[in-house]
Amino acid sequence: MASKSVEKSGHTNALQGSTVVVRENMSPLTSSSDDVTMDEADRKLEAMGYTPVFKREFSTWSSFSFAMSISGVYGSLMSTWIYGLQAGGAAAIMWSWVIGGAGAWALALSLAELSSAYPSSGAMYFTLKFLAPEEQVPILCWISGYINLVGTVTGSAATEYASSQMLLAAVSITSNFSYMPTNNHVVACMAILTVIHASINTLSTLWLTRLTSGYVVFHISVLVGACVCLLVQTKEKHSIAYAFTDFQPSSGWNPPGFAFLFGCLTPAWIMTSADSTARIAEEAKDPARIVPKAIANATTFTYIIGFLFNLVLVICMGDPLELVQSPSGQPVAQLFFNAMGRTPAILFTLCGFAVMNLVAIPGIQAGSRTIFAFARDDLLPFSHHWCRVSKRSQTPITAVCLYAALEIIVNLLGLMSDTAISAVFNVCTVSLNISYLVPIVCKMLYGRFEKGPWNLGRWSFVMNVVAVGWNTLMAVIFFFPTRLPVAAENMNYAIVVFVFVLMFSVGFWYTHGRHFYTGPGTRRPLAATVVETLG
């Protein structure tokens, strides 16, 4: 693979010629000279320290669909439902969604407001440039950036892992449970799926937009179909009162009600990555308006339909203990099997697998844009490689490859034990939440925030307080073991992983970063290099 650089002056189209590097004296790269909105978005991006590189293809609908695809409530809820089930059964499932989902919703709205004011692929990491005091920006961005990257990678890795589990669960049901998925099988399947999803992300933004746009219709169709079939086919249903009052604590925690907090991992895991849509801000046509609306609308919609889907599952779940002990390892797949029989269970489990694939593909897109944004600011080792953009697809293919490789490396821990891989996945929510709370706290403390076109108005401070308070509590709770007494096989090692990440980011700052890193959009030669073709 070869690359070469050519500087040009005046108006330059990155799709013309061979390999080019566009410097800071270039005019904005736009899809159409007649599109005033895109010109304005590009000019604002340049004012924030970057030269535009991506084509702006994401519209209001495709951005909303992208945000919905990140949550993937049908597939994501299937893969995480066991947390509430183990935390206390029906009541734990429902109340953890109501309360935990509200906290996640407040966080998402707070992030939407920030993304409107400072739309960039760097998302929340980038906002610190404007929210924190100037002298604190480098170290805050460095540490929160690395914590965010760990949360993003582990979140995407968890999605790939869950996709593999769901596919193999369908195979297990097909075999009448004579086939039992092993960790080796899951990891092998995960690696294949990750490569496929990464390959799709080498396509142009236009094709990724088209793929994303049809997601909502498919997702809602599957959700409605599953709910109707369950309600029709389940002969003995629980009452709605049962759904909110039947609490069966088995975690060993005292008081028993404390265990319900562990069920909040489900809404947190599904709704936490709300800022992923902010990472495609440089590919959206009017990011200051489209991106925050997509985040807010998709999160609100997810909160509502997630509540209804949970309610249907609880009403139709039968004996919760039987679901926990499912030989397939997937309680919701077992629920489908018990209620509807083998063939419908296989169909709806495979639908969950399809939804999780549609979560994984935009997940890699958002994650690769994060790597691109960090590399553009020289935050990562070998940054000059990861901020390259292909002339063919006008996307950061090297960043896509690196991100996919990191996902696979993380999931290799699944070969060790379920405990090891669970620790990494648990740290996802904690890492992302902390990296989100840092800019929100800075916004409230320093008063440097300037509202964008989309904002929360007088509710801004209230939402910020709720987001910070609740998600700080959750960050602590998710470090606790979910069952007592604690043993090696049920210990939650997420705290170990997070402390390692924190120590690494701080240590790397003092040994390396502080000598050259000055914050987002400040290293002009690297930050202004926006297109480098991979030949």
Short mmCIF file of all heavy atoms in Angstrom, two decimals, residues 277-338:
data_model
loop_
_atom_site.label_atom_id
_atom_site.label_comp_id
_atom_site.label_asym_id
_atom_site.label_seq_id
_atom_site.Cartn_x
_atom_site.Cartn_y
_atom_site.Cartn_z
N THR A 277 -24.06 9.13 17.94
CA THR A 277 -24.56 9.93 16.82
C THR A 277 -23.78 11.23 16.69
O THR A 277 -23.59 11.75 15.58
CB THR A 277 -26.05 10.22 17.00
OG1 THR A 277 -26.73 9.00 17.30
CG2 THR A 277 -26.65 10.81 15.73
N ALA A 278 -23.29 11.76 17.82
CA ALA A 278 -22.49 12.99 17.77
C ALA A 278 -21.18 12.76 17.03
O ALA A 278 -20.58 13.71 16.52
CB ALA A 278 -22.22 13.49 19.18
N ARG A 279 -20.74 11.52 16.95
CA ARG A 279 -19.46 11.22 16.31
C ARG A 279 -19.55 11.22 14.79
O ARG A 279 -18.53 11.15 14.11
CB ARG A 279 -18.94 9.87 16.82
CG ARG A 279 -18.74 9.90 18.34
CD ARG A 279 -18.35 8.56 18.89
NE ARG A 279 -18.55 8.54 20.34
CZ ARG A 279 -18.25 7.51 21.13
NH1 ARG A 279 -17.74 6.42 20.60
NH2 ARG A 279 -18.47 7.58 22.41
N ILE A 280 -20.77 11.28 14.26
CA ILE A 280 -20.93 11.42 12.82
C ILE A 280 -21.34 12.85 12.47
O ILE A 280 -21.88 13.10 11.39
CB ILE A 280 -21.93 10.41 12.23
CG1 ILE A 280 -23.32 10.62 12.84
CG2 ILE A 280 -21.45 8.98 12.44
CD1 ILE A 280 -24.44 9.93 12.08
N ALA A 281 -21.08 13.79 13.39
CA ALA A 281 -21.50 15.18 13.18
C ALA A 281 -20.88 15.76 11.92
O ALA A 281 -21.50 16.59 11.24
CB ALA A 281 -21.12 16.03 14.39
N GLU A 282 -19.66 15.37 11.59
CA GLU A 282 -19.00 15.91 10.41
C GLU A 282 -19.48 15.25 9.13
O GLU A 282 -19.03 15.59 8.03
CB GLU A 282 -17.48 15.77 10.56
CG GLU A 282 -16.93 16.62 11.69
CD GLU A 282 -15.45 16.44 11.92
OE1 GLU A 282 -14.72 16.20 10.93
OE2 GLU A 282 -14.99 16.52 13.08
N GLU A 283 -20.41 14.29 9.25
CA GLU A 283 -21.02 13.65 8.09
C GLU A 283 -22.51 13.98 7.99
O GLU A 283 -23.19 13.45 7.12
CB GLU A 283 -20.81 12.13 8.17
CG GLU A 283 -19.34 11.74 8.12
CD GLU A 283 -19.10 10.30 8.54
OE1 GLU A 283 -19.30 9.39 7.70
OE2 GLU A 283 -18.70 10.08 9.70
N ALA A 284 -23.01 14.82 8.88
CA ALA A 284 -24.41 15.23 8.87
C ALA A 284 -24.56 16.58 8.17
O ALA A 284 -23.67 17.43 8.24
CB ALA A 284 -24.94 15.32 10.30
N LYS A 285 -25.68 16.79 7.52
CA LYS A 285 -25.88 17.99 6.71
C LYS A 285 -26.04 19.26 7.54
O LYS A 285 -25.60 20.33 7.14
CB LYS A 285 -27.10 17.78 5.80
CG LYS A 285 -26.91 16.66 4.78
CD LYS A 285 -28.14 16.47 3.91
CE LYS A 285 -27.90 15.36 2.88
NZ LYS A 285 -29.09 15.13 2.04
N ASP A 286 -26.69 19.16 8.65
CA ASP A 286 -26.88 20.31 9.54
C ASP A 286 -26.68 19.81 10.96
O ASP A 286 -27.64 19.67 11.73
CB ASP A 286 -28.28 20.89 9.35
CG ASP A 286 -28.49 22.16 10.15
OD1 ASP A 286 -27.51 22.65 10.75
OD2 ASP A 286 -29.63 22.66 10.19
N PRO A 287 -25.44 19.50 11.35
CA PRO A 287 -25.19 18.77 12.59
C PRO A 287 -25.67 19.46 13.85
O PRO A 287 -26.07 18.79 14.81
CB PRO A 287 -23.65 18.62 12.59
CG PRO A 287 -23.15 19.72 11.72
CD PRO A 287 -24.19 19.88 10.66
N ALA A 288 -25.64 20.78 13.89
CA ALA A 288 -26.03 21.49 15.10
C ALA A 288 -27.51 21.29 15.43
O ALA A 288 -27.93 21.45 16.58
CB ALA A 288 -25.73 22.98 14.97
N ARG A 289 -28.29 20.92 14.44
CA ARG A 289 -29.72 20.67 14.66
C ARG A 289 -30.07 19.20 14.51
O ARG A 289 -30.80 18.63 15.33
CB ARG A 289 -30.57 21.51 13.68
CG ARG A 289 -30.48 23.01 13.93
CD ARG A 289 -31.24 23.79 12.88
NE ARG A 289 -31.24 25.22 13.16
CZ ARG A 289 -30.24 26.04 12.84
NH1 ARG A 289 -29.16 25.57 12.21
NH2 ARG A 289 -30.30 27.33 13.14
N ILE A 290 -29.57 18.58 13.47
CA ILE A 290 -29.94 17.20 13.16
C ILE A 290 -29.43 16.23 14.21
O ILE A 290 -30.17 15.35 14.68
CB ILE A 290 -29.40 16.81 11.76
CG1 ILE A 290 -30.24 17.48 10.67
CG2 ILE A 290 -29.42 15.30 11.57
CD1 ILE A 290 -29.73 17.21 9.27
N VAL A 291 -28.17 16.35 14.60
CA VAL A 291 -27.57 15.41 15.54
C VAL A 291 -28.25 15.43 16.91
O VAL A 291 -28.64 14.37 17.43
CB VAL A 291 -26.05 15.66 15.66
CG1 VAL A 291 -25.46 14.89 16.84
CG2 VAL A 291 -25.35 15.25 14.37
N PRO A 292 -28.43 16.60 17.56
CA PRO A 292 -29.09 16.58 18.87
C PRO A 292 -30.53 16.10 18.81
O PRO A 292 -31.00 15.41 19.73
CB PRO A 292 -29.00 18.04 19.33
CG PRO A 292 -28.79 18.84 18.10
CD PRO A 292 -27.98 17.96 17.19
N LYS A 293 -31.24 16.45 17.73
CA LYS A 293 -32.61 15.96 17.60
C LYS A 293 -32.64 14.44 17.48
O LYS A 293 -33.51 13.78 18.06
CB LYS A 293 -33.28 16.59 16.37
CG LYS A 293 -33.67 18.06 16.54
CD LYS A 293 -34.33 18.59 15.28
CE LYS A 293 -34.69 20.06 15.43
NZ LYS A 293 -35.29 20.60 14.18
N ALA A 294 -31.69 13.90 16.73
CA ALA A 294 -31.62 12.45 16.57
C ALA A 294 -31.35 11.77 17.90
O ALA A 294 -31.98 10.76 18.25
CB ALA A 294 -30.52 12.09 15.56
N ILE A 295 -30.42 12.32 18.68
CA ILE A 295 -30.10 11.75 19.99
C ILE A 295 -31.31 11.80 20.92
O ILE A 295 -31.69 10.81 21.55
CB ILE A 295 -28.91 12.48 20.63
CG1 ILE A 295 -27.64 12.27 19.80
CG2 ILE A 295 -28.69 12.01 22.06
CD1 ILE A 295 -26.46 13.10 20.27
N ALA A 296 -31.93 12.98 21.01
CA ALA A 296 -33.06 13.17 21.92
C ALA A 296 -34.27 12.31 21.52
O ALA A 296 -34.87 11.63 22.36
CB ALA A 296 -33.45 14.64 21.96
N ASN A 297 -34.62 12.33 20.23
CA ASN A 297 -35.80 11.59 19.78
C ASN A 297 -35.59 10.08 19.89
O ASN A 297 -36.48 9.35 20.31
CB ASN A 297 -36.14 11.97 18.34
CG ASN A 297 -36.60 13.41 18.21
OD1 ASN A 297 -37.06 14.01 19.19
ND2 ASN A 297 -36.49 13.98 17.03
N ALA A 298 -34.40 9.62 19.49
CA ALA A 298 -34.13 8.18 19.52
C ALA A 298 -34.09 7.66 20.96
O ALA A 298 -34.61 6.58 21.25
CB ALA A 298 -32.82 7.87 18.81
N THR A 299 -33.50 8.43 21.86
CA THR A 299 -33.42 7.99 23.25
C THR A 299 -34.80 7.98 23.89
O THR A 299 -35.14 7.05 24.64
CB THR A 299 -32.49 8.91 24.06
OG1 THR A 299 -31.22 8.98 23.41
CG2 THR A 299 -32.28 8.37 25.46
N THR A 300 -35.61 8.99 23.62
CA THR A 300 -36.97 9.03 24.16
C THR A 300 -37.79 7.86 23.63
O THR A 300 -38.51 7.18 24.38
CB THR A 300 -37.65 10.36 23.79
OG1 THR A 300 -36.87 11.45 24.27
CG2 THR A 300 -39.05 10.44 24.37
N PHE A 301 -37.67 7.60 22.34
CA PHE A 301 -38.39 6.50 21.71
C PHE A 301 -37.93 5.16 22.29
O PHE A 301 -38.75 4.28 22.57
CB PHE A 301 -38.17 6.55 20.20
CG PHE A 301 -39.08 5.65 19.42
CD1 PHE A 301 -40.46 5.76 19.55
CD2 PHE A 301 -38.56 4.71 18.55
CE1 PHE A 301 -41.31 4.93 18.82
CE2 PHE A 301 -39.40 3.87 17.81
CZ PHE A 301 -40.78 3.99 17.95
N THR A 302 -36.63 5.01 22.47
CA THR A 302 -36.08 3.78 23.04
C THR A 302 -36.59 3.56 24.46
O THR A 302 -36.91 2.44 24.85
CB THR A 302 -34.54 3.84 23.04
OG1 THR A 302 -34.07 3.88 21.69
CG2 THR A 302 -33.95 2.64 23.75
N TYR A 303 -36.66 4.63 25.23
CA TYR A 303 -37.14 4.54 26.61
C TYR A 303 -38.59 4.02 26.65
O TYR A 303 -38.93 3.14 27.44
CB TYR A 303 -37.05 5.92 27.27
CG TYR A 303 -37.40 5.97 28.74
CD1 TYR A 303 -37.08 4.94 29.60
CD2 TYR A 303 -38.07 7.07 29.26
CE1 TYR A 303 -37.40 5.00 30.95
CE2 TYR A 303 -38.40 7.15 30.60
CZ TYR A 303 -38.06 6.10 31.45
OH TYR A 303 -38.39 6.17 32.78
N ILE A 304 -39.41 4.53 25.74
CA ILE A 304 -40.83 4.16 25.73
C ILE A 304 -41.02 2.73 25.22
O ILE A 304 -41.68 1.90 25.86
CB ILE A 304 -41.64 5.15 24.89
CG1 ILE A 304 -41.62 6.55 25.53
CG2 ILE A 304 -43.09 4.68 24.72
CD1 ILE A 304 -42.20 7.64 24.67
N ILE A 305 -40.44 2.42 24.06
CA ILE A 305 -40.68 1.08 23.49
C ILE A 305 -39.94 0.02 24.31
O ILE A 305 -40.38 -1.13 24.37
CB ILE A 305 -40.26 1.02 22.01
CG1 ILE A 305 -38.76 1.28 21.83
CG2 ILE A 305 -41.08 1.96 21.17
CD1 ILE A 305 -38.28 1.05 20.41
N GLY A 306 -38.84 0.40 24.95
CA GLY A 306 -38.15 -0.54 25.83
C GLY A 306 -39.01 -0.92 27.02
O GLY A 306 -39.05 -2.08 27.44
N PHE A 307 -39.72 0.06 27.56
CA PHE A 307 -40.64 -0.19 28.67
C PHE A 307 -41.75 -1.16 28.23
O PHE A 307 -42.06 -2.13 28.93
CB PHE A 307 -41.25 1.13 29.16
CG PHE A 307 -42.35 0.95 30.16
CD1 PHE A 307 -42.06 0.76 31.50
CD2 PHE A 307 -43.68 0.99 29.76
CE1 PHE A 307 -43.09 0.59 32.43
CE2 PHE A 307 -44.71 0.82 30.68
CZ PHE A 307 -44.41 0.62 32.02
N LEU A 308 -42.34 -0.91 27.07
CA LEU A 308 -43.44 -1.76 26.59
C LEU A 308 -42.95 -3.17 26.27
O LEU A 308 -43.63 -4.15 26.59
CB LEU A 308 -44.06 -1.12 25.33
CG LEU A 308 -44.73 0.24 25.55
CD1 LEU A 308 -45.21 0.82 24.22
CD2 LEU A 308 -45.90 0.13 26.54
N PHE A 309 -41.77 -3.29 25.67
CA PHE A 309 -41.23 -4.61 25.35
C PHE A 309 -40.91 -5.38 26.63
O PHE A 309 -41.18 -6.58 26.74
CB PHE A 309 -39.99 -4.45 24.47
CG PHE A 309 -39.46 -5.75 23.91
CD1 PHE A 309 -40.32 -6.73 23.45
CD2 PHE A 309 -38.10 -5.98 23.84
CE1 PHE A 309 -39.84 -7.92 22.92
CE2 PHE A 309 -37.61 -7.16 23.32
CZ PHE A 309 -38.48 -8.14 22.86
N ASN A 310 -40.33 -4.70 27.61
CA ASN A 310 -40.07 -5.33 28.90
C ASN A 310 -41.37 -5.85 29.53
O ASN A 310 -41.41 -6.96 30.09
CB ASN A 310 -39.41 -4.33 29.86
CG ASN A 310 -37.90 -4.41 29.85
OD1 ASN A 310 -37.33 -5.49 29.95
ND2 ASN A 310 -37.26 -3.27 29.71
N LEU A 311 -42.41 -5.04 29.46
CA LEU A 311 -43.69 -5.41 30.05
C LEU A 311 -44.25 -6.67 29.39
O LEU A 311 -44.72 -7.59 30.07
CB LEU A 311 -44.67 -4.25 29.93
CG LEU A 311 -46.05 -4.45 30.59
CD1 LEU A 311 -45.90 -4.69 32.09
CD2 LEU A 311 -46.94 -3.24 30.32
N VAL A 312 -44.18 -6.73 28.08
CA VAL A 312 -44.68 -7.92 27.36
C VAL A 312 -43.86 -9.14 27.75
O VAL A 312 -44.41 -10.22 28.00
CB VAL A 312 -44.62 -7.68 25.84
CG1 VAL A 312 -44.91 -8.98 25.09
CG2 VAL A 312 -45.61 -6.61 25.43
N LEU A 313 -42.54 -9.01 27.80
CA LEU A 313 -41.69 -10.14 28.16
C LEU A 313 -41.99 -10.64 29.57
O LEU A 313 -42.06 -11.85 29.81
CB LEU A 313 -40.21 -9.74 28.06
CG LEU A 313 -39.67 -9.47 26.65
CD1 LEU A 313 -38.21 -9.02 26.73
CD2 LEU A 313 -39.79 -10.71 25.77
N VAL A 314 -42.18 -9.72 30.50
CA VAL A 314 -42.45 -10.11 31.89
C VAL A 314 -43.81 -10.80 32.00
O VAL A 314 -43.95 -11.82 32.69
CB VAL A 314 -42.39 -8.88 32.82
CG1 VAL A 314 -42.96 -9.21 34.19
CG2 VAL A 314 -40.96 -8.40 32.96
N ILE A 315 -44.81 -10.28 31.33
CA ILE A 315 -46.15 -10.89 31.37
C ILE A 315 -46.13 -12.30 30.81
O ILE A 315 -46.84 -13.19 31.30
CB ILE A 315 -47.15 -10.00 30.60
CG1 ILE A 315 -47.43 -8.72 31.38
CG2 ILE A 315 -48.46 -10.75 30.33
CD1 ILE A 315 -48.30 -7.73 30.62
N CYS A 316 -45.27 -12.53 29.83
CA CYS A 316 -45.25 -13.82 29.13
C CYS A 316 -44.12 -14.75 29.56
O CYS A 316 -43.94 -15.82 28.98
CB CYS A 316 -45.15 -13.60 27.62
SG CYS A 316 -46.49 -12.62 26.91
N MET A 317 -43.36 -14.39 30.61
CA MET A 317 -42.12 -15.12 30.86
C MET A 317 -42.28 -16.43 31.61
O MET A 317 -41.36 -17.25 31.65
CB MET A 317 -41.14 -14.22 31.63
CG MET A 317 -41.45 -13.97 33.07
SD MET A 317 -40.14 -12.95 33.82
CE MET A 317 -40.76 -12.80 35.49
N GLY A 318 -43.44 -16.70 32.22
CA GLY A 318 -43.58 -17.95 32.95
C GLY A 318 -42.71 -17.97 34.19
O GLY A 318 -42.65 -16.99 34.93
N ASP A 319 -42.02 -19.08 34.41
CA ASP A 319 -41.16 -19.23 35.59
C ASP A 319 -39.82 -18.55 35.34
O ASP A 319 -39.05 -19.00 34.48
CB ASP A 319 -40.95 -20.72 35.88
CG ASP A 319 -40.10 -20.94 37.14
OD1 ASP A 319 -39.79 -19.95 37.84
OD2 ASP A 319 -39.74 -22.11 37.40
N PRO A 320 -39.48 -17.49 36.08
CA PRO A 320 -38.21 -16.80 35.83
C PRO A 320 -36.99 -17.66 36.09
O PRO A 320 -35.96 -17.51 35.42
CB PRO A 320 -38.26 -15.61 36.80
CG PRO A 320 -39.29 -15.97 37.82
CD PRO A 320 -40.27 -16.85 37.13
N LEU A 321 -37.09 -18.61 37.03
CA LEU A 321 -35.95 -19.48 37.34
C LEU A 321 -35.59 -20.35 36.14
O LEU A 321 -34.41 -20.58 35.86
CB LEU A 321 -36.27 -20.36 38.55
CG LEU A 321 -35.14 -21.28 39.03
CD1 LEU A 321 -33.92 -20.44 39.45
CD2 LEU A 321 -35.62 -22.15 40.19
N GLU A 322 -36.58 -20.82 35.42
CA GLU A 322 -36.33 -21.63 34.23
C GLU A 322 -35.59 -20.83 33.16
O GLU A 322 -34.71 -21.36 32.46
CB GLU A 322 -37.65 -22.16 33.67
CG GLU A 322 -37.47 -23.05 32.43
CD GLU A 322 -38.79 -23.50 31.84
OE1 GLU A 322 -39.85 -23.19 32.43
OE2 GLU A 322 -38.77 -24.16 30.78
N LEU A 323 -35.91 -19.54 33.04
CA LEU A 323 -35.24 -18.70 32.05
C LEU A 323 -33.78 -18.45 32.43
O LEU A 323 -32.90 -18.46 31.58
CB LEU A 323 -35.97 -17.36 31.92
CG LEU A 323 -37.44 -17.42 31.48
CD1 LEU A 323 -37.99 -16.01 31.33
CD2 LEU A 323 -37.60 -18.20 30.18
N VAL A 324 -33.52 -18.25 33.71
CA VAL A 324 -32.15 -18.02 34.17
C VAL A 324 -31.28 -19.24 33.88
O VAL A 324 -30.10 -19.11 33.53
CB VAL A 324 -32.13 -17.70 35.68
CG1 VAL A 324 -30.70 -17.66 36.20
CG2 VAL A 324 -32.82 -16.37 35.94
N GLN A 325 -31.86 -20.42 33.98
CA GLN A 325 -31.11 -21.67 33.80
C GLN A 325 -31.19 -22.20 32.38
O GLN A 325 -30.87 -23.36 32.13
CB GLN A 325 -31.64 -22.72 34.77
CG GLN A 325 -31.48 -22.33 36.24
CD GLN A 325 -32.16 -23.32 37.18
OE1 GLN A 325 -33.00 -24.12 36.79
NE2 GLN A 325 -31.77 -23.26 38.46
N SER A 326 -31.56 -21.37 31.42
CA SER A 326 -31.70 -21.81 30.03
C SER A 326 -30.40 -22.41 29.50
O SER A 326 -29.33 -21.80 29.63
CB SER A 326 -32.12 -20.64 29.14
OG SER A 326 -32.06 -21.01 27.78
N PRO A 327 -30.45 -23.59 28.89
CA PRO A 327 -29.24 -24.19 28.33
C PRO A 327 -28.65 -23.40 27.17
O PRO A 327 -27.47 -23.55 26.85
CB PRO A 327 -29.71 -25.58 27.87
CG PRO A 327 -31.19 -25.46 27.71
CD PRO A 327 -31.62 -24.47 28.74
N SER A 328 -29.46 -22.55 26.54
CA SER A 328 -28.95 -21.74 25.43
C SER A 328 -28.14 -20.54 25.92
O SER A 328 -27.42 -19.92 25.15
CB SER A 328 -30.11 -21.23 24.56
OG SER A 328 -30.86 -20.24 25.25
N GLY A 329 -28.30 -20.20 27.21
CA GLY A 329 -27.61 -19.03 27.75
C GLY A 329 -28.29 -17.72 27.43
O GLY A 329 -27.79 -16.66 27.79
N GLN A 330 -29.45 -17.79 26.77
CA GLN A 330 -30.20 -16.59 26.38
C GLN A 330 -31.63 -16.70 26.92
O GLN A 330 -32.47 -17.38 26.33
CB GLN A 330 -30.22 -16.44 24.86
CG GLN A 330 -28.87 -16.11 24.24
CD GLN A 330 -28.46 -14.67 24.51
OE1 GLN A 330 -29.22 -13.75 24.36
NE2 GLN A 330 -27.21 -14.49 24.91
N PRO A 331 -31.95 -16.02 28.03
CA PRO A 331 -33.27 -16.15 28.65
C PRO A 331 -34.43 -15.77 27.72
O PRO A 331 -35.47 -16.42 27.74
CB PRO A 331 -33.20 -15.21 29.84
CG PRO A 331 -31.75 -15.10 30.17
CD PRO A 331 -31.05 -15.19 28.85
N VAL A 332 -34.25 -14.72 26.93
CA VAL A 332 -35.35 -14.28 26.06
C VAL A 332 -35.57 -15.30 24.94
O VAL A 332 -36.72 -15.58 24.56
CB VAL A 332 -35.07 -12.88 25.48
CG1 VAL A 332 -36.18 -12.47 24.52
CG2 VAL A 332 -34.95 -11.85 26.60
N ALA A 333 -34.50 -15.88 24.43
CA ALA A 333 -34.65 -16.94 23.42
C ALA A 333 -35.40 -18.13 24.02
O ALA A 333 -36.25 -18.75 23.37
CB ALA A 333 -33.28 -17.37 22.91
N GLN A 334 -35.10 -18.46 25.28
CA GLN A 334 -35.80 -19.54 25.96
C GLN A 334 -37.27 -19.18 26.16
O GLN A 334 -38.16 -20.03 26.02
CB GLN A 334 -35.15 -19.80 27.32
CG GLN A 334 -35.75 -20.97 28.08
CD GLN A 334 -35.46 -22.30 27.41
OE1 GLN A 334 -34.32 -22.57 27.03
NE2 GLN A 334 -36.50 -23.12 27.23
N LEU A 335 -37.54 -17.90 26.46
CA LEU A 335 -38.91 -17.43 26.61
C LEU A 335 -39.68 -17.62 25.32
O LEU A 335 -40.83 -18.10 25.32
CB LEU A 335 -38.89 -15.96 27.04
CG LEU A 335 -40.20 -15.29 27.50
CD1 LEU A 335 -39.88 -14.09 28.36
CD2 LEU A 335 -41.05 -14.86 26.31
N PHE A 336 -39.08 -17.25 24.19
CA PHE A 336 -39.72 -17.47 22.89
C PHE A 336 -40.01 -18.95 22.67
O PHE A 336 -41.09 -19.32 22.18
CB PHE A 336 -38.82 -16.95 21.77
CG PHE A 336 -38.72 -15.45 21.68
CD1 PHE A 336 -37.56 -14.84 21.24
CD2 PHE A 336 -39.78 -14.64 22.03
CE1 PHE A 336 -37.45 -13.47 21.15
CE2 PHE A 336 -39.70 -13.26 21.94
CZ PHE A 336 -38.52 -12.68 21.50
N PHE A 337 -39.06 -19.79 23.03
CA PHE A 337 -39.21 -21.24 22.84
C PHE A 337 -40.37 -21.77 23.68
O PHE A 337 -41.21 -22.55 23.21
CB PHE A 337 -37.91 -21.95 23.21
CG PHE A 337 -37.96 -23.44 23.06
CD1 PHE A 337 -37.77 -24.04 21.82
CD2 PHE A 337 -38.20 -24.26 24.16
CE1 PHE A 337 -37.82 -25.41 21.68
CE2 PHE A 337 -38.25 -25.64 24.04
CZ PHE A 337 -38.06 -26.22 22.79
N ASN A 338 -40.43 -21.34 24.94
CA ASN A 338 -41.48 -21.82 25.84
C ASN A 338 -42.86 -21.36 25.38
O ASN A 338 -43.84 -22.10 25.50
CB ASN A 338 -41.23 -21.33 27.26
CG ASN A 338 -39.97 -21.93 27.87
OD1 ASN A 338 -39.42 -22.90 27.36
ND2 ASN A 338 -39.50 -21.34 28.96
#
